[in-house]
């Protein structure tokens, strides 16, 4: 864009950005499967096929003891009948939030397809065995960082990170099966899930799955 056409304010810049560009996929709610896990798997698979970067990245939103909401991006670990799983150190801010208020929201967004998925519901820790399996499946560097156990604490000297990580790496070389004591695999069991398909004319399609005693029911929502 020529310099004379550059937006002069943040508002103008934001309004100049394109949205819902390219060819968007079709979504037919009447053909949606019986469970949200099936539809989510289909959408995630399509995102992978469309070369969406890190399609398993999601925003996890929690609430602290004082009621203040916090959100951060992390990676999905599994999807099954029990729910959507992710992992973290129990002593981290999100781990402390979940201990105080064991419920959360997850949000996925795949911009190339103008699709998002929103989930909310209770969160519970998995067994020590499953948490250990998740930890040992992580990369060596990730395990070393988790062993340090200092996530989100004030950092006075960046060199401390390197020193602590090198110490953890040396420990893992001596004890390859070592698992961080508070490493936890969590599973969110959603009460509701919304699948949102964007439309260039803003006729967005929104399909909600709602948990009931008999399984799942579906409901279309206004854009």
């Amino acid at each position: 864009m020529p310099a004379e056409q550059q937006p002069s304010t943040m508002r103008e810049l934001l309004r100049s950005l394109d949205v819902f560009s390219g060819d968007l996929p079709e979504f037919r709610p009447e053909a949606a499967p019986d469970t949200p896990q099936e539809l989510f798997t289909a959408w995630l698979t399509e995102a992978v096929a469309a070369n969406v970067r890190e399609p398993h990245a999601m925003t996890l939103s929690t609430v602290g003891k004082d009621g203040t909401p916090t959100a951060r991006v992390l990676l999905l670990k599994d999807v099954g009948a029990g729910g959507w799983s992710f992992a973290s150190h129990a002593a981290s801010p999100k781990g402390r939030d979940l201990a105080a208020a064991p419920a959360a929201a997850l949000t996925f967004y795949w911009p190339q397809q103008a699709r998002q998925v929103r989930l909310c519901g209770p969160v519970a820790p998995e067994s020590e065995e499953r948490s250990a399996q998740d930890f040992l499946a992580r990369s060596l560097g990730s395990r070393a960082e988790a062993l340090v156990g200092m996530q989100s604490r004030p950092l006075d000297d960046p060199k401390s990170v390197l020193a602590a990580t090198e110490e953890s790496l040396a420990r893992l070389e001596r004890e390859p099966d070592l698992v961080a004591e508070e490493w936890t695999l969590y599973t969110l069991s959603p009460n509701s899930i919304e699948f949102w398909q964007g439309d260039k004319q803003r006729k967005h399609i929104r399909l909600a799955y709602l948990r009931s005693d008999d399984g799942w029911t579906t409901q279309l929502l206004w854009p």
Side-chain angles (χ1 to χ4, degrees):
M1 182 181 294
E4 62 272 12
Q5 297 181 17
Q6 291 289 337
S8 59
T9 67
M10 177 59 70
R11 179 178 176 82
E12 290 179 359
L13 172 62
L14 294 175
R15 293 186 66 86
S16 72
L17 299 177
D18 194 17
V19 293
F20 307 143
S21 61
D23 296 327
L24 302 182
E26 180 184 14
F27 177 36
R28 297 173 54 237
E30 66 275 11
D34 293 336
T35 70
Q37 286 90 339
E38 294 175 88
L39 183 54
F40 180 86
T41 299
W43 277 25
L44 178 62
T45 301
E46 291 176 23
V48 172
N51 295 316
V52 174
R53 289 191 60 181
E54 299 175 353
H56 55 331
M58 60 188 184
T59 300
L60 167 69
S61 302
T62 57
V63 177
K65 287 184 178 180
D66 61 355
T68 300
T70 307
R72 74 288 285 168
V73 176
L74 67 166
L75 299 179
L76 177 69
K77 291 307 185 72
D78 197 9
V79 178
W84 278 246
S85 298
F86 57 92
S88 181
H89 202 286
S92 69
K94 52 186 166 298
R96 296 195 301 270
D97 281 357
L98 291 171
L106 299 176
T107 307
F108 295 84
Y109 180 51
W110 301 308
Q112 290 91 329
Q113 297 164 309
R115 282 178 169 174
Q116 62 177 308
V117 181
R118 302 168 56 225
L119 311 86
C120 60
V123 177
E126 294 287 348
S127 66
E128 290 185 8
E129 180 181 5
R130 289 203 63 195
S131 295
Q133 289 173 349
D134 176 84
F135 185 83
L136 294 173
R138 299 173 73 85
S139 67
L140 182 62
S142 177
R143 282 181 283 152
E145 186 277 330
L147 278 175
V148 174
M150 298 289 287
Q151 187 183 82
S152 299
R153 298 184 186 180
L155 175 65
D156 296 324
D157 184 358
K159 295 180 180 178
S160 301
V161 176
L162 179 59
T165 302
E166 288 181 344
E167 183 179 338
S168 291
L169 286 170
R171 187 179 178 190
L172 286 171
E173 289 181 1
R174 299 191 303 268
E175 306 173 67
D177 295 328
L178 181 65
V179 175
E181 184 177 351
E182 294 188 284
W183 190 257
T184 306
L185 182 67
Y186 297 94
T187 296
L188 184 150
S189 300
N191 295 319
S192 64
I193 305 177
E194 179 189 330
F195 292 83
W196 187 96
Q197 173 65 67
D199 177 77
K200 295 178 184 293
Q201 304 303 319
R202 302 308 192 267
K203 297 176 182 178
H204 311 310
I205 300 174
R206 300 174 61 188
L207 178 67
Y209 282 80
L210 307 173
R211 189 186 294 276
S212 68
D213 293 338
D214 299 324
W216 293 96
T217 61
T218 56
Q219 174 67 61
L220 286 171
L221 304 175
W222 278 80

